[in-house]
Amino acid sequence: MIKKRCCSFFIAVFFVLISFGQTKLFPDIELRTNKATISARFFESENLLSPIESFSSRLEFATEFSAVLNDFLEHRVHLSAETYSHAEVLIEEFRDELKLLKLKNDINELSFNRKRMSDNISGRLALISRGTLSHPSDLDSITALPYVYLNYTPRDSNIALRLGIRSTSSRPGFMKIDEASCSWVFGKRGRIRFGRIYFILGHLGLIGDNNFDAFEGAVLEMFPFGTLGLNLIYARLSSTNYPYTGIFQDYDDYLATRISKELFKKNLEIGLNTLFSGIASEDALSLDLYWRYSKNRDFIAELAFYRPSKTTIVEGVDPYEAKYAFVAGADVINTKRANIFLQIGDVQRGFAPMATSLAYSAQNHLYFDQDTRGFDITFSYYPAKKIDTEMWQTRPERTGLVPQETIYEINIVGLWDGEWRKSANRYVFRHIRSLGRDIRLYIENNLWDREPSISWQYRGVYNETRLSVSYEL
Amino acid sequence: MRKKILFLVLILALCFVTNKVCADYIDLPTLDVLSYFAQKSGHTKKFNKLVDAAPSRLEWAGFLNEVVWIIEEKNMLLNETEDEKLRTLVKYFDRELLLMNLSDKLEEKPVFNMEAEYSLNSDYLWGEGVRTSVLSLYNELRLIFSARKKSTAGYLSLRNFGYWGVNEYSSGSLGINFKTSDPPFIEQLFFETGEVYKLILGRRYMKMGTWGLAVNWLYEPIDIAEFAVTSNNFTGRVAAASRYENIDYYLASFGFGTEILQTEINGFYSAISSRILERLVGANNDIGGSLSFAFSPIKYVSFRSEAGVYKKTPSSLEVYPYVYAVDSDFRDFGFSFLYGYIPDIRFPTYPSVPYSATVNRPPLDFIDKNFIGTRFYPKTRGYDAIFRIKYAAPVFFEIEHSDINGLAVDIRFKRNTARGIYKSPGKSSPVDRIIIDITVVDYESDDIQQQEWQLRSQAAFRF
């Protein structure tokens, strides 16, 4: 009878508790030992931890307990012997959970550090594969040229480091330092770079463009009077030292300047470029013009005069007679998805500055070469979204940047050097697309009818493909 | 289990230390001192953030730890007051630093570090005997990677340098073996493990003795395996290295010292095979050693000396080089006087062959007074005096005078240098140092009397 009554009493109490819903009889989490439960209750009684019933998982409890421990550590809370012993019990009880929390913190810290690093470092890791397919076919070849470019710009700093290491087609297995330069940004639009650098004088670079190789020197770019720009380029081309010392006794320096003026809200820019000293004693002068003549159409032109070196006499070329070159280009059509850019050029025989954008075969940009005149038309198609590209932006070997958008491009070049010849024509196809979040693909296919020359004994169709896969940091 | 130990140790330490330090936060005078060193180490922004966050003492101690690490890493010069302040600060946080130390030991976290140094240097020489003068420019790039886990560490330094305009080795650049486009070469690559008993393996710069009169590889690294024992007052080092072939160079060094007096004895023995000796000009089975003393009887003055014995071959006669120095280092200025007697020994000169009658010209990396190889030369004796003004720190001015005479022939160098140095006090700016150095060398002998002027500069950036 008593047993029955007791049972009824407990059942009644149980239902009362449930009906109130205020207190849980059993906690949701299980503690392995009674000692741990006692310790948890102790921390609860000391108002250091919430009641054990309020936690839905062991990990949740461990999170709060870990915070309490950290609080002890950071604020030097004086621990009594009793508190210490209870903490010890709970540390043992929640050993695995505390480890998990530690791991989580480590991952968070790692992500933070990685983000901090990625804020400072940018650049490109790329592999260019250059393959040729020719007639006769036994001269086919494929070369792989890896290169790495890194820009390091510390936070809150005006000084940045750029380092580029690459393999060149002349020595495929040899990684050389391409760029190693330090730059300092000052004022509103001022910058000085020094070290191994690339530069271009004006928009087209007929008398100053060293795309074929980096020079050792310095470039100053600034706008000292509002929209009046001043560029100064200095480079050391060769040096002769006293044997076994770093003391020099002979040199050949490169010095060029550009003065430009921006007008009509930067829609028009005119520039005067002067090459005071190129290789040996060559000099040159050019005028260039950039004009955004409608909302998204550009016109670019440069007229240049050049005198070859007086110390290196070339047969049939008067070193005191100036040679001219003229190149102009404009967006003929520029729609949302397509663009046609037409260039014309006329380059006199003997116009061959050492650093120039002419002569694509010598790793430069423009297909026009000395003693040629003709046209260069590029049709670009953007299947997804049109972007406003700058000059040569679709040629990553120049800018070091590959656009994210997909682009198809056909480029036809026809040159006349007294007669129209098939070998002077170029048929180029370019394709750019994104292969992943930061991975870009670039393909350039060049096709032409190659004529025999001193270095090339054969005649036939020559096809050269460049394929580049790059990872942008 | 490790986590458990960590918490137990930390809590134990807490229980121990909380009896003495009860304040939760740091007091204002300490904050001021911390602010000063934060500024010096380029951590002002972080300091301001911490002030806003009002963190715990432990976090402040962590910040102090970072600051001290930078000061040590960058070899920043501290004057007497600063030194005292820093010591007080470290003492103030000694309990927290102890806790952090315990924590670090248990955490076993590897620490990785990457650094890049880029410098632009110029050199212009003119005067009597110089045929034509041209400004020479060269740049230098160093990429440094290091990793440390507990007492084991690895270090890799890649270096590239080259003169502007030296595009090919043969284009008039005789004797210059590097171009700016050459890939970086391995300058140092070594691993070390242990604290009291330390093992170091790999290629690195090293010396034995005060200046390294007998053993000095500060100008070019050497491939070496070294075992060292270090205690408070004793250091013992034995090493085997490769100069020409596998293992052909053995070294040993033993040093005893207190704060006031330090002494070190070291020696080396070469065991080059006869095959190499026949083939390589200049290779000798030389043997030598040196004994050095450093004595600092009062706070601002110290005396240093190193005397050696050297035999070019086992059958050669011994020669006895020595260098003595007096150094004084006051708050606003410092002074060093070195006297050297250098007979015909394998002296640690910067590796270049002098063109003209004047001395070799090492880069401005070697202007510190401890580089004797750029101040004295074999078969000469003389003195070198350096006066340093530190009043305008971090800009320093130095005047240096050398008077060197030939031992066997009647030659005499007189060299006067004026030098301005800016040494960045912290990491706040990538500009690490700027040095301008102008040197006048008078050279006299029976046949020649000439004067050369040299202007050198260096701007170095660290990222």
Side-chain angles (χ1 to χ4, degrees):
Chain A
M1 187 68 186
I2 294 169
K3 219 176 184 181
K4 248 185 179 179
R5 280 183 182 174
C6 282
C7 257
S8 304
F9 175 75
F10 280 119
I11 289 166
V13 168
F14 180 77
F15 278 107
V16 166
L17 284 172
I18 287 180
S19 65
F20 276 102
Q22 297 291 325
T23 314
K24 289 179 183 175
L25 188 61
F26 303 111
D28 287 345
I29 62 172
E30 285 183 10
L31 302 186
R32 294 190 188 103
T33 59
N34 283 336
K35 279 173 77 178
T37 312
I38 294 165
S39 297
R41 294 289 178 211
F42 173 81
F43 271 76
E44 182 189 331
S45 65
E46 294 287 310
N47 287 328
L48 293 169
L49 278 174
S50 308
I52 194 167
E53 290 79 13
S54 63
F55 296 103
S56 57
S57 69
R58 285 175 60 87
L59 195 64
E60 203 179 314
F61 183 91
T63 307
E64 191 170 317
F65 178 55
S66 172
V68 171
L69 288 178
N70 285 334
D71 203 47
F72 286 169
L73 194 66
E74 287 181 11
H75 295 98
R76 296 179 160 274
V77 176
H78 181 81
L79 295 183
S80 65
E82 195 180 5
T83 313
Y84 172 74
S85 66
H86 284 301
E88 193 183 25
V89 171
L90 288 178
I91 286 170
E92 179 57 33
E93 171 69 29
F94 289 97
R95 187 181 53 190
D96 295 339
E97 286 78 9
L98 290 171
K99 269 187 183 172
L100 268 175
L101 289 170
K102 165 80 172 45
L103 191 67
K104 187 184 162 196
N105 284 340
D106 285 353
I107 289 169
N108 287 343
E109 196 178 329
L110 192 69
S111 311
F112 175 74
N113 287 341
R114 189 177 292 172
K115 187 180 178 310
R116 195 171 58 178
M117 188 180 283
S118 65
D119 284 351
N120 288 344
I121 297 178
S122 63
R124 201 158 51 108
L125 313 174
L127 183 73
I128 288 186
S129 178
R130 187 173 293 173
T132 59
L133 179 69
S134 59
H135 177 77
S137 59
D138 58 335
L139 295 167
D140 297 347
S141 69
I142 293 177
T143 50
L145 309 168
Y147 60 89
V148 179
Y149 282 90
L150 293 172
N151 300 307
Y152 187 83
T153 311
R155 277 182 183 178
D156 310 319
S157 170
N158 296 329
I159 295 179
L161 181 74
R162 181 170 167 82
L163 178 65
I165 299 175
R166 71 184 302 175
S167 180
T168 56
S169 53
S170 56
R171 297 184 71 183
F174 183 81
M175 295 286 283
K176 73 162 198 168
I177 289 187
D178 187 32
E179 284 187 86
S181 66
C182 195
S183 63
W184 176 48
V185 177
F186 59 93
K188 279 185 181 173
R189 293 163 72 187
R191 185 170 69 144
I192 185 165
R193 289 183 291 143
F194 56 86
R196 274 182 69 81
I197 46 173
Y198 284 101
F199 60 80
I200 184 164
L201 207 55
H203 293 277
L204 283 166
L206 292 186
I207 63 166
D209 181 352
N210 66 332
N211 188 58
F212 65 97
D213 199 7
F215 284 179
E216 290 120 19
V219 174
L220 170 73
E221 300 158 322
M222 60 191 292
F223 285 82
F225 306 106
T227 52
L228 184 73
L230 175 68
N231 289 15
L232 183 69
I233 298 169
Y234 164 79
R236 176 67 55 93
L237 300 177
S238 74
S239 296
T240 311
N241 62 308
Y242 289 104
Y244 300 104
T245 69
I247 306 297
F248 285 71
Q249 59 176 347
D250 200 5
Y251 67 101
D252 186 6
D253 284 352
Y254 185 97
L255 183 65
T257 61
R258 171 181 168 79
I259 298 170
S260 61
K261 176 73 181 169
E262 292 172 343
L263 300 159
F264 306 113
K265 296 178 182 174
K266 297 182 186 175
N267 284 322
L268 182 69
E269 182 184 343
I270 50 174
L272 172 68
N273 309 300
T274 314
L275 173 64
F276 291 102
S277 172
I279 194 159
S281 55
E282 65 176 17
D283 52 15
L285 184 80
S286 81
L287 272 168
D288 71 55
L289 174 78
Y290 164 81
W291 179 28
R292 174 149 283 202
Y293 64 94
S294 77
K295 190 183 173 186
N296 53 0
R297 292 182 192 181
D298 296 337
F299 173 79
I300 297 171
E302 184 169 352
L303 174 65
F305 299 94
Y306 160 80
R307 290 191 304 181
S309 165
K310 286 88 185 166
T311 52
T312 315
I313 305 296
V314 178
E315 196 178 335
V317 176
D318 180 0
Y320 295 99
E321 185 188 323
K323 312 293 176 188
Y324 76 89
F326 174 73
V327 174
D331 290 310
V332 180
I333 294 172
N334 201 358
T335 66
K336 283 183 179 175
R337 292 281 173 84
N339 171 260
I340 295 177
F341 187 70
L342 174 67
Q343 281 186 109
I344 55 167
D346 182 0
V347 186
Q348 197 179 5
R349 184 169 183 266
F351 188 97
M354 179 195 62
T356 175
S357 54
L358 297 171
Y360 189 80
S361 57
Q363 294 187 42
N364 295 324
H365 302 123
L366 296 170
Y367 285 94
F368 305 114
D369 201 351
Q370 62 162 319
D371 198 20
T372 63
R373 46 217 54 86
F375 68 91
D376 175 336
I377 185 163
T378 307
F379 173 74
S380 307
Y381 173 65
Y382 302 79
K385 182 188 166 194
K386 170 85 170 61
I387 51 162
D388 195 9
T389 54
E390 292 180 6
M391 281 290 286
W392 299 308
Q393 193 177 330
T394 55
R395 302 181 196 179
E397 285 183 56
R398 167 70 215 178
T399 58
L401 292 168
V402 185
Q404 272 187 323
E405 288 70 20
T406 303
I407 305 173
Y408 294 93
E409 212 167 75
I410 292 171
N411 191 182
I412 299 168
V413 182
L415 298 177
W416 182 70
D417 58 354
E419 58 177 316
W420 288 104
R421 287 185 286 130
K422 279 199 298 181
S423 62
N425 299 339
R426 295 282 184 281
Y427 307 95
V428 188
F429 169 74
R430 296 187 194 92
H431 174 50
I432 295 164
R433 70 179 308 119
S434 179
L435 295 180
R437 191 177 159 198
D438 296 311
I439 302 172
R440 318 268 168 83
L441 171 73
Y442 171 80
I443 299 171
E444 181 183 296
N445 193 75
N446 261 283
L447 189 70
W448 77 95
D449 194 4
R450 195 163 182 174
E451 281 191 340
S453 65
I454 297 167
S455 60
W456 183 261
Q457 301 162 11
Y458 309 98
R459 184 185 182 90
V461 175
Y462 189 84
N463 189 75
E464 185 182 285
T465 304
R466 294 180 195 185
L467 188 144
S468 159
V469 178
S470 64
Y471 173 68
E472 310 282 337
L473 293 174
Chain B
M1 189 62 192
R2 196 186 300 155
K3 187 74 193 178
K4 181 190 169 190
I5 296 169
L6 166 72
F7 276 116
L8 285 178
V9 170
L10 292 181
I11 290 167
L12 266 174
L14 269 173
C15 295
F16 175 69
V17 298
T18 42
N19 292 328
K20 293 180 181 175
V21 184
C22 298
D24 282 347
Y25 301 105
I26 62 174
D27 52 45
L28 285 176
T30 309
L31 204 64
D32 283 347
V33 180
L34 200 53
S35 161
Y36 175 79
F37 285 106
Q39 196 180 1
K40 197 170 177 70
S41 63
H43 270 42
T44 313
K45 282 194 175 176
K46 188 170 179 181
F47 175 82
N48 292 336
K49 278 184 186 172
L50 283 174
V51 169
D52 293 340
S56 63
R57 283 176 59 98
L58 192 73
E59 204 162 332
W60 279 118
F63 179 68
L64 173 66
N65 199 36
E66 275 180 49
V67 167
V68 172
W69 185 84
I70 287 166
I71 287 171
E72 284 176 359
E73 182 73 9
K74 303 280 283 182
N75 290 323
M76 286 181 197
L77 294 169
L78 298 180
N79 60 35
E80 191 189 349
T81 321
E82 288 175 330
D83 196 47
E84 192 60 40
K85 277 182 181 174
L86 192 61
R87 279 173 196 278
T88 313
L89 206 54
V90 170
K91 203 173 176 184
Y92 183 81
F93 285 107
D94 60 351
R95 303 298 173 192
E96 286 81 4
L97 292 170
L98 172 74
L99 276 175
M100 286 166 53
N101 188 28
L102 284 170
S103 170
D104 284 347
K105 284 195 173 183
L106 289 166
E107 294 267 337
E108 295 180 9
K109 264 188 184 173
V111 179
F112 296 97
N113 190 34
M114 283 192 290
E115 261 187 21
E117 183 182 296
Y118 185 86
S119 73
L120 180 66
N121 302 262
S122 74
D123 196 326
Y124 187 71
L125 179 77
W126 74 100
E128 297 164 28
V130 178
R131 273 177 287 174
T132 48
S133 299
V134 172
L135 180 73
S136 73
L137 297 158
Y138 75 95
N139 55 222
E140 188 166 27
L141 176 73
R142 265 199 180 89
L143 303 170
I144 300 162
F145 308 88
S146 63
R148 176 173 286 279
K149 187 176 179 181
K150 287 185 77 180
S151 55
T152 302
Y155 183 94
L156 170 65
S157 156
L158 301 173
R159 184 183 177 207
N160 159 273
F161 68 92
Y163 286 88
W164 287 13
V166 178
N167 297 313
E168 295 300 331
Y169 304 121
S170 57
S171 63
S173 56
L174 194 61
I176 291 179
N177 296 322
F178 294 98
K179 299 185 290 182
T180 51
S181 62
D182 275 336
F185 61 91
I186 295 174
E187 184 185 30
Q188 292 193 84
L189 173 61
F190 63 87
F191 302 93
E192 62 177 43
T193 184
E195 286 177 357
V196 177
Y197 301 98
K198 188 181 272 188
L199 183 67
I200 313 169
L201 290 173
R203 171 177 298 180
R204 66 193 179 97
Y205 295 106
M206 56 87 70
K207 72 174 171 69
M208 286 177 171
T210 303
W211 292 286
L213 204 56
V215 177
N216 189 321
W217 296 93
L218 295 179
Y219 307 97
E220 54 178 311
I222 186 168
D223 300 328
I224 193 164
E226 181 179 321
F227 175 72
V229 182
T230 313
S231 72
N232 285 344
N233 301 104
F234 170 78
T235 307
R237 299 159 71 187
V238 288
S242 167
R243 277 197 299 173
Y244 302 102
E245 48 193 337
N246 292 338
I247 301 289
D248 56 7
Y249 191 51
Y250 300 92
L251 312 103
S253 161
F254 300 96
F256 303 89
T258 61
E259 275 192 16
I260 295 171
L261 178 71
Q262 294 101 37
T263 179
E264 184 179 333
I265 185 164
N266 64 72
F268 72 90
Y269 169 76
S270 304
I272 305 163
S273 68
S274 53
R275 182 175 56 86
I276 298 290
L277 287 174
E278 283 167 16
R279 212 174 60 194
L280 286 176
V281 178
N284 293 306
N285 262 331
D286 50 358
I287 181 169
S290 74
L291 178 66
S292 59
F293 288 99
F295 179 50
S296 314
I298 52 174
K299 196 172 181 181
Y300 302 108
V301 179
S302 63
F303 301 95
R304 295 183 293 166
S305 71
E306 186 168 3
V309 57
Y310 178 82
K311 286 178 81 169
K312 191 167 257 180
T313 63
S315 56
S316 303
L317 286 174
E318 296 88 2
V319 289
Y320 302 96
Y322 59 82
V323 177
Y324 300 131
V326 182
D327 301 296
S328 60
D329 196 11
F330 294 94
R331 195 184 68 175
D332 292 335
F333 67 91
F335 179 76
S336 285
F337 178 86
L338 292 95
Y339 182 81
Y341 171 85
I342 314 293
D344 187 13
I345 65 171
R346 190 172 58 80
F347 190 67
T349 307
Y350 182 75
S352 69
V353 179
Y355 152 72
S356 65
T358 52
V359 293
N360 62 341
R361 296 174 171 83
L364 290 172
D365 300 350
F366 301 104
I367 55 171
D368 189 89
K369 63 185 178 186
N370 291 319
F371 289 111
I372 54 165
T374 61
R375 295 187 160 82
F376 299 108
Y377 314 97
K379 299 187 217 177
T380 61
R381 69 175 166 194
Y383 69 87
D384 185 272
I386 307 166
F387 181 68
R388 178 178 242 220
I389 301 164
K390 300 189 284 185
Y391 183 75
V395 176
F396 305 94
F397 297 99
E398 280 185 359
I399 297 166
E400 185 170 356
H401 173 73
S402 303
D403 199 325
I404 313 282
N405 297 297
L407 286 175
V409 288
D410 183 24
I411 54 170
R412 185 173 181 182
F413 297 106
K414 267 190 183 176
R415 187 177 54 190
N416 292 293
T417 301
R419 196 177 287 137
I421 302 165
Y422 164 77
K423 175 81 182 145
S424 168
K427 280 190 167 179
S428 56
S429 160
V431 181
D432 185 59
R433 60 185 182 275
I434 296 170
I435 303 171
I436 296 171
D437 175 296
I438 183 160
T439 300
V440 187
V441 181
D442 287 299
Y443 170 74
E444 285 176 28
S445 73
D446 289 343
D447 311 323
I448 306 169
Q449 186 170 359
Q450 65 184 52
Q451 188 178 65
E452 285 182 2
W453 292 66
Q454 187 178 22
L455 177 65
R456 294 181 294 168
S457 72
Q458 181 183 67
F461 307 87
R462 266 191 181 246
F463 299 86

